[in-house]
Amino acid sequence: MLDVPMIQTRGFRNSDGGFQVRLRLPYYRGVWTNLLEGVSLTVDGEEYAADTIGWTLAGTDYTLAELVGSDTARWPVDVPATLTVPRGEPLSIGFHTVAAELRLHMSYIPEELQPTIWSEERRLVITR
Amino acid sequence: MLDVPMIQTRGFRNSDGGFQVRLRLPYYRGVWTNLLEGVSLTVDGEEYAADTIGWTLAGTDYTLAELVGSDTARWPVDVPATLTVPRGEPLSIGFHTVAAELRLHMSYIPEELQPTIWSEERRLVITR
Amino acid sequence: MKLGVSLYSYTSEFGTTLTLDDCIEDVADLGASGLEILGEAHVENYPSPSTAWIDAWFARLSRWELTPTCYGSWVDTRRGRRPITVDEAVAQLETDIRLASTLGFAYVRPKLGVVTDDLEPDPVWEPATERVLDLAAEKNVIICPEIHWPSVIKSKVVDDYLAFIQRTGTSHFALLMDTGVFQTSMHRRTGGVASRMGDKGGRPPEVPVVPVSDLEDVLDHVCHVQAKFYEIDDDLQDHYIPWKEFLDLLTRRGWDGWLSSEYEGDYGVGRASDQLRRQHALIRTLSDVR
Amino acid sequence: MKLGVSLYSYTSEFGTTLTLDDCIEDVADLGASGLEILGEAHVENYPSPSTAWIDAWFARLSRWELTPTCYGSWVDTRRGRRPITVDEAVAQLETDIRLASTLGFAYVRPKLGVVTDDLEPDPVWEPATERVLDLAAEKNVIICPEIHWPSVIKSKVVDDYLAFIQRTGTSHFALLMDTGVFQTSMHRRTGGVASRMGDKGGRPPEVPVVPVSDLEDVLDHVCHVQAKFYEIDDDLQDHYIPWKEFLDLLTRRGWDGWLSSEYEGDYGVGRASDQLRRQHALIRTLSDVR
Ligand SMILES: [Mn+2]
Ligand SMILES: [Mn+2]
């Protein structure tokens, strides 16, 4: 089962050359990934732009451009996305404030109300 | 998945000759049922004694005496018990206040602190 | 009338506190006999579920004695930020009609992209729908766009749909009525992940209250009702949707389709299950449903 | 020292918001390498799991690179409201030793029933344990009763256990140290289903603070540590368990077993996962663990 928040407790960790954070899709259905506009992150006040963040969906790695360019890739509502963020130094052991903004285009909502933006901030722990 | 409360939302309903309510075991492990002292219920102020209530565990029906007399029956922590309560009239459509007290004997706690008693009250709906 | 539940009701609990099995068990447990799903949410590996998943689907229907009612689909008209073509819309509709039919559904609700601020559907809807009518007939499903707030009944959109039925003579296209259209006041959903619609300062439209009587003229073309609701209070009252008036009209007219509950109230663990039971208790005290 | 987690930590979330898979994934995700379970809680169809379940167990260990550490068992000495016999205690111990060994565990912690207000274990413990020592040797597990609050280290119970080791010369019996013994103040757990211990007005004992230094004399016989904790605050401080003193002692003595986290703080969805991460971050900043 996933966490109720968009930003998942599981998956926040240092990785080779950066860190990772996992999101669930807070929408009511899965989506074709060419409806995505991306996710931007802020960790401890440091911003990471949407187009610098790598995606992993169900074991497959993508860039944001690849997801937006694909006619077949999907982000299911019950499958979390792992975001991989390049960073010079690993995050320190202890608390970090993690904020995420997810932007998704909704065809059935008029253009002037685009995109739908979900935003959330959590305080998560790096253990090592 | 089960509800977090002991008294489950699913399973509260009228049945032949009475009604049913479902409980999860709020303990940290499953138990041999001969550690049970029983469950008493109060619905809208009307009390139902532990020895009048039928049990169903994983599809098998028991009386409380059968559960206490068994050397092999178990109540797993992730399997809810369905309690069947005889009642002359079906419960009316709408809200009902359901209270349960579960009593369980703990061998590793001194006799004078027996049994451990979990108690909970919820307001649940009968739909038909 | 028959009572069902749409799994849309469990949004934010599906996958977090409830599995698909749990949701379906909950629908049966609360006494409903009809089951509605969203293809893109609830079908594992959409649009290509495994045969094992399909077998499990039918095993659940049989175990819980549930009838598949409506399958919600989408025609996303601005994928990749460009307008959809008729061929692409046809392909999406065909995918969902085939999948819905495989899973035993009688109704397919395509949610169409819009092209104007007042929610006019993308004009591809008409040629694309016309091209899949034969498939709908072959698969024995009815395609039913949804009349959903902030759309209203007396509108060009609905007139166009009725003209389409008239012109084609089809019996495989009808209307889905979402009871949110009749809301007498606006509910502001709380809980869940905070969201907003754009950063351009746009606001959802102001919509007049739609009288239930507006339903009279179109009811013969309504094949399915999504019984949208927001909150039933602790006295079993709904202050948003006029259920008595609505149910009395359906009863008087002898309408005999499914009322499929769509809970869209505040988020919170366990809220959907509780609110759905409240709504079904309320509906059963107000009308004679099966 | 190596860091692990006991699935006890997820009590009230296991089966409600987390599956067994989720709990085990969480343990790996937070960076632990050891996995402790409670046989009667986490083994499906205990005491007779299917071979499919056992296969899935080893698949999880392999996928998440986790080592099974300790298997918690119980010898319920007043089942059916009568005292247990030695034969019955032996049968229960054998059941759990065999199952623990099948699942790859190195340690079996039997929780024994008590016969006095000051928690003296039922005297069956000694003859029953003696009778299963050969099985423990054959199955390569160490039986380790738990020193758990309100028991203390300098006590007849611990003296009796050490005398047993001395007398039998066994290498398959040792002590499990629960760090709750060293609590410097009492935590009152909140949330969850309300419970009370009996209606006879009995109260749990008042227990003096146990200095960490009491561990010195028995540490050579401690095979496993349950790193019990109640709350790590928003500054990553624990106001209940003196971790620095405890970890410094283990480090100085070169103790090289598992610290297996047992979260026993307030109930609440998501609390265990968060608190376990806080504790592991704290322990890793205070000591050199693998
Ligand atoms: Mn609807
Ligand atoms: Mn312990």
Side-chain angles (χ1 to χ4, degrees):
Chain A
M1 310 305 287
L2 301 176
D3 280 341
V4 172
M6 172 170 69
I7 302 171
Q8 302 289 293
T9 300
R10 276 176 264 161
F12 180 54
R13 60 170 74 175
N14 286 309
S15 60
D16 278 353
F19 66 91
Q20 295 184 325
V21 62
R22 207 176 285 172
L23 301 191
R24 78 169 175 90
L25 178 56
Y27 192 29
Y28 56 75
R29 59 159 174 152
V31 292
W32 300 109
T33 61
N34 55 4
L35 293 167
L36 266 178
E37 300 194 1
V39 170
S40 56
L41 292 170
T42 306
V43 177
D44 304 325
E46 199 172 334
E47 290 179 37
Y48 303 90
D51 57 5
T52 65
I53 295 172
W55 287 66
T56 308
L57 285 169
T60 304
D61 296 332
Y62 302 90
T63 63
L64 178 59
E66 285 167 346
L67 289 176
V68 172
S70 170
D71 285 334
T72 55
R74 289 191 59 81
W75 186 5
V77 74
D78 53 350
V79 175
T82 297
L83 306 180
T84 300
V85 188
R87 188 173 193 271
E89 296 277 298
L91 295 170
S92 60
I93 290 179
F95 289 107
H96 296 276
T97 301
V98 180
E101 269 204 353
L102 162 64
R103 288 158 185 268
L104 195 61
H105 192 90
M106 302 286 184
S107 299
Y108 56 83
I109 293 175
E111 272 289 350
E112 66 157 357
L113 298 174
Q114 299 298 333
T116 292
I117 305 161
W118 284 271
S119 55
E120 190 179 69
E121 182 178 297
R122 292 190 70 192
R123 200 153 176 258
L124 296 177
V125 178
I126 288 286
T127 57
R128 55 172 184 166
Chain B
M1 311 305 286
L2 301 177
D3 281 341
V4 173
M6 172 170 69
I7 302 171
Q8 301 289 293
T9 301
R10 275 175 264 159
F12 181 53
R13 60 169 73 173
N14 286 307
S15 60
D16 279 354
F19 66 91
Q20 295 185 326
V21 62
R22 208 176 284 172
L23 301 190
R24 79 168 175 91
L25 178 56
Y27 192 29
Y28 56 75
R29 60 161 173 150
V31 291
W32 300 109
T33 61
N34 55 5
L35 293 167
L36 266 178
E37 299 194 1
V39 169
S40 56
L41 292 170
T42 307
V43 177
D44 304 325
E46 199 172 334
E47 291 178 38
Y48 302 91
D51 57 4
T52 66
I53 295 173
W55 287 66
T56 308
L57 284 168
T60 305
D61 296 332
Y62 303 90
T63 62
L64 178 59
E66 285 167 347
L67 289 176
V68 172
S70 170
D71 285 333
T72 55
R74 288 191 59 81
W75 185 6
V77 74
D78 53 351
V79 175
T82 298
L83 305 180
T84 300
V85 187
R87 189 172 192 270
E89 297 277 299
L91 295 170
S92 60
I93 290 181
F95 288 107
H96 296 275
T97 300
V98 180
E101 269 204 353
L102 161 64
R103 290 159 184 265
L104 195 60
H105 193 90
M106 302 286 186
S107 298
Y108 57 81
I109 293 175
E111 273 289 351
E112 65 158 359
L113 298 172
Q114 300 297 333
T116 292
I117 305 161
W118 283 273
S119 55
E120 190 178 68
E121 183 177 296
R122 292 190 70 192
R123 200 155 176 257
L124 296 177
V125 179
I126 287 285
T127 57
R128 55 174 186 165
Chain C
M1 283 180 291
K2 297 163 281 186
L3 270 183
V5 172
S6 168
L7 296 192
Y8 169 81
S9 304
Y10 301 96
T11 293
S12 97
E13 300 206 56
F14 172 66
T16 61
T17 58
L18 297 173
T19 64
L20 183 63
D21 270 333
D22 295 327
C23 293
I24 293 177
E25 184 190 335
D26 198 55
V27 170
D29 185 78
L30 65 84
S33 51
L35 179 63
E36 175 165 353
I37 69 167
L38 313 179
E40 296 197 33
H42 303 115
V43 177
E44 191 176 282
N45 200 36
Y46 172 91
S48 307
S50 65
T51 51
W53 192 90
I54 296 169
D55 290 346
W57 167 256
F58 283 107
R60 289 184 192 105
L61 297 180
S62 164
R63 172 172 181 193
W64 300 113
E65 299 179 29
L66 291 169
T67 300
T69 60
C70 183
Y71 169 108
S73 82
W74 282 261
V75 181
D76 288 306
T77 50
R78 296 192 296 263
R79 289 177 57 184
R81 240 45 28 94
R82 61 164 183 77
I84 197 170
T85 65
V86 173
D87 282 351
E88 287 168 334
V90 166
Q92 180 68 61
L93 286 166
E94 285 180 345
T95 293
D96 287 302
I97 290 169
R98 289 182 195 282
L99 182 49
S101 166
T102 296
L103 300 178
F105 286 94
Y107 308 109
V108 173
R109 188 256 15 217
K111 190 150 183 109
L112 297 151
V114 299
V115 290
T116 63
D117 288 358
D118 62 348
L119 304 176
E120 184 115 8
D122 190 303
V124 297
W125 82 263
E126 188 157 3
T129 305
E130 192 157 358
R131 274 175 52 188
V132 299
L133 285 180
D134 285 351
L135 179 65
E138 179 196 325
K139 297 297 183 184
N140 203 25
V141 301
I142 294 174
I143 301 167
C144 45
E146 180 175 352
I147 316 306
H148 185 285
W149 185 96
S151 294
V152 297
I153 296 177
K154 293 185 185 299
S155 62
K156 177 175 183 303
V157 179
V158 174
D159 292 346
D160 287 351
Y161 291 151
L162 297 179
F164 177 79
I165 296 171
Q166 189 84 21
R167 178 174 69 75
T168 60
T170 183
S171 57
H172 291 278
F173 186 88
L175 303 179
L176 188 160
M177 196 70 227
D178 181 295
T179 55
V181 163
F182 304 113
Q183 63 188 23
T184 53
S185 60
M186 184 88 183
H187 182 270
R188 303 284 172 189
R189 195 168 207 178
T190 65
V193 180
S195 70
R196 60 188 193 272
M197 288 195 287
D199 279 331
K200 309 180 196 91
R203 304 192 51 148
E206 300 280 326
V207 181
V209 171
V210 174
V212 170
S213 57
D214 279 8
L215 191 56
E216 295 274 13
D217 289 349
V218 299
L219 186 62
D220 289 346
H221 296 289
V222 172
C223 65
H224 187 68
V225 168
Q226 288 179 342
K228 168 73 54 63
F229 72 112
Y230 307 101
E231 178 79 18
I232 314 284
D233 75 10
D234 290 346
D235 298 314
L236 219 64
Q237 302 296 311
D238 187 326
H239 300 286
Y240 300 94
I241 310 291
W243 290 110
K244 180 160 172 36
E245 208 182 335
F246 178 74
L247 293 165
D248 283 354
L249 190 155
L250 294 189
T251 301
R252 177 167 49 76
R253 290 282 296 270
W255 190 82
D256 197 31
W258 290 95
L259 300 184
S260 186
S261 297
E262 281 196 328
Y263 171 63
E264 193 172 293
D266 298 342
Y267 291 110
V269 174
R271 269 204 136 253
S273 294
D274 179 41
Q275 284 285 323
L276 286 166
R277 281 164 175 76
R278 295 181 186 208
Q279 191 209 32
H280 279 224
L282 174 60
I283 291 175
R284 287 179 190 275
T285 56
L286 290 175
S287 63
D288 196 23
V289 291
R290 284 179 275 153
Chain D
M1 284 179 290
K2 297 163 281 187
L3 270 182
V5 172
S6 168
L7 296 192
Y8 169 81
S9 303
Y10 301 96
T11 293
S12 96
E13 300 206 55
F14 171 67
T16 61
T17 58
L18 297 173
T19 64
L20 183 64
D21 271 332
D22 295 328
C23 293
I24 293 176
E25 184 190 335
D26 198 56
V27 170
D29 185 78
L30 65 86
S33 51
L35 179 62
E36 174 165 356
I37 68 167
L38 312 179
E40 296 197 32
H42 304 115
V43 177
E44 190 176 281
N45 200 37
Y46 171 91
S48 307
S50 65
T51 52
W53 191 91
I54 295 169
D55 290 348
W57 168 255
F58 283 107
R60 290 186 192 104
L61 296 181
S62 165
R63 173 172 181 192
W64 300 114
E65 299 178 30
L66 291 168
T67 301
T69 60
C70 183
Y71 169 108
S73 82
W74 283 261
V75 180
D76 287 306
T77 49
R78 294 192 297 263
R79 289 177 57 184
R81 243 33 39 87
R82 62 165 182 79
I84 197 171
T85 65
V86 173
D87 282 351
E88 287 168 335
V90 166
Q92 180 67 62
L93 286 166
E94 285 180 346
T95 293
D96 287 302
I97 289 168
R98 289 182 195 282
L99 181 49
S101 166
T102 296
L103 300 178
F105 286 94
Y107 308 107
V108 173
R109 188 263 4 225
K111 189 149 183 108
L112 296 152
V114 299
V115 290
T116 63
D117 287 358
D118 61 348
L119 305 174
E120 183 115 7
D122 190 302
V124 297
W125 82 264
E126 187 156 4
T129 305
E130 192 156 359
R131 274 175 51 187
V132 299
L133 285 179
D134 284 351
L135 180 66
E138 179 196 326
K139 297 296 182 184
N140 202 26
V141 301
I142 294 175
I143 301 167
C144 46
E146 179 175 352
I147 316 305
H148 185 285
W149 185 95
S151 294
V152 295
I153 295 176
K154 294 187 184 299
S155 64
K156 177 174 183 303
V157 179
V158 174
D159 292 346
D160 287 351
Y161 290 151
L162 297 179
F164 177 80
I165 296 171
Q166 188 83 22
R167 177 173 68 75
T168 60
T170 184
S171 57
H172 292 278
F173 187 88
L175 302 180
L176 187 160
M177 197 69 226
D178 181 295
T179 55
V181 163
F182 304 113
Q183 62 188 23
T184 53
S185 61
M186 183 86 184
H187 182 271
R188 303 283 172 189
R189 195 167 206 179
T190 64
V193 181
S195 70
R196 59 188 193 273
M197 289 196 286
D199 279 331
K200 308 181 195 91
R203 304 191 51 147
E206 299 281 325
V207 181
V209 171
V210 173
V212 169
S213 57
D214 278 8
L215 191 57
E216 294 275 15
D217 288 349
V218 299
L219 187 61
D220 288 345
H221 296 289
V222 172
C223 64
H224 187 68
V225 168
Q226 287 179 343
K228 168 73 53 65
F229 72 113
Y230 308 101
E231 178 79 17
I232 313 283
D233 74 10
D234 290 346
D235 298 314
L236 219 64
Q237 301 297 312
D238 186 326
H239 300 287
Y240 300 94
I241 309 290
W243 290 111
K244 179 159 173 38
E245 207 183 335
F246 178 74
L247 293 165
D248 283 353
L249 190 156
L250 294 189
T251 301
R252 177 168 49 75
R253 290 282 297 269
W255 189 82
D256 197 32
W258 291 95
L259 299 185
S260 185
S261 297
E262 280 195 328
Y263 171 63
E264 192 171 293
D266 297 341
Y267 292 110
V269 174
R271 269 202 137 255
S273 294
D274 179 42
Q275 285 285 323
L276 285 166
R277 282 164 175 75
R278 295 181 184 207
Q279 192 209 30
H280 279 225
L282 174 60
I283 290 174
R284 286 179 191 275
T285 56
L286 291 176
S287 65
D288 196 24
V289 291
R290 285 179 272 152

